[in-house]
Amino acid sequence: MNITDVKITKLTGAETSCKALASITIDGSFVVTGIRIIESAKGLFCAMPSRKTPAGDYKDICFPITREARQEMIDAILNKYNSTPEPSINDFTGDSDLPF
């Protein structure tokens, strides 16, 4: 497995345990989106995309099968997260004619 791209969107605003959303590209041909970077008492971890079942449980939609593949994904995502600057209001590049 070759992770060819990692994109991070850090979340701002309300205090929440979810610190960012990530997407990864594998071998330049397969993208996994909706990976959440969550802060817990033990530190940051990655939660794979999931859906809620009718029973109320959450099941991962996609996930690495081997321990090595999981670790490679986590390392790539958290390295990119740690090297991505925090967003600020000055990062806004929208229409300058806005009234605020």
Side-chain angles (χ1 to χ4, degrees):
M1 177 176 75
N2 182 26
I3 298 173
T4 53
D5 190 28
V6 178
K7 294 182 181 173
I8 301 291
T9 303
K10 288 192 174 183
L11 304 176
T12 61
E15 291 299 314
T16 178
S17 60
C18 185
K19 299 301 178 189
L21 297 174
S23 66
I24 61 169
T25 303
I26 301 169
D27 293 328
S29 60
F30 187 79
V31 175
V32 178
T33 62
I35 301 168
R36 294 168 310 207
I37 299 172
I38 298 175
E39 187 172 44
S40 73
K42 294 182 179 182
L44 294 173
F45 71 93
C46 296
M48 296 304 289
S50 61
R51 296 226 171 137
K52 192 173 185 178
T53 67
D57 299 327
Y58 286 89
K59 297 288 182 182
D60 287 348
I61 297 169
C62 57
F63 50 90
I65 294 173
T66 66
R67 180 177 297 162
E68 295 81 12
R70 178 175 297 277
Q71 195 60 52
E72 183 179 346
M73 288 175 62
I74 290 170
D75 290 345
I77 292 167
L78 293 181
N79 286 339
K80 182 71 172 194
Y81 174 82
N82 289 326
S83 68
T84 301
E86 294 294 326
S88 73
I89 192 68
N90 296 329
D91 292 339
F92 180 72
T93 58
D95 187 0
S96 63
D97 294 332
L98 294 174
F100 52 90

